[in-house]
Amino acid sequence: MQCYLCGSGKNHTREGKVRDNPSIKIFECDECGLVFLESQKTSEEFYKDNGMC
């Protein structure tokens, strides 16, 4: 998995669970420290429907 902030491919999995989907893995970039998810399935409609844009 590549970090979407710095582009590094060096990362490791972190303990924890995603509340809405516990099967999604959590990663931490070894280069910049960004914590990110294996996949992000939030659509633009989700933000619009919930008044976030």
Side-chain angles (χ1 to χ4, degrees), residues 5-51:
L5 182 63
C6 74
S8 173
K10 298 177 182 179
N11 56 62
H12 61 276
T13 56
R14 271 183 70 143
E15 288 191 39
K17 293 183 180 177
V18 176
R19 177 181 54 198
D20 298 337
N21 187 345
S23 67
I24 296 176
K25 293 179 185 174
I26 303 170
F27 293 100
E28 181 175 352
C29 179
D30 294 336
E31 297 293 323
C32 71
L34 179 73
V35 176
F36 59 98
L37 301 178
E38 175 181 31
S39 65
Q40 193 170 6
K41 298 181 180 180
T42 306
S43 67
E44 190 171 323
E45 287 76 31
F46 172 82
Y47 293 105
K48 287 180 184 177
D49 292 345
N50 289 287

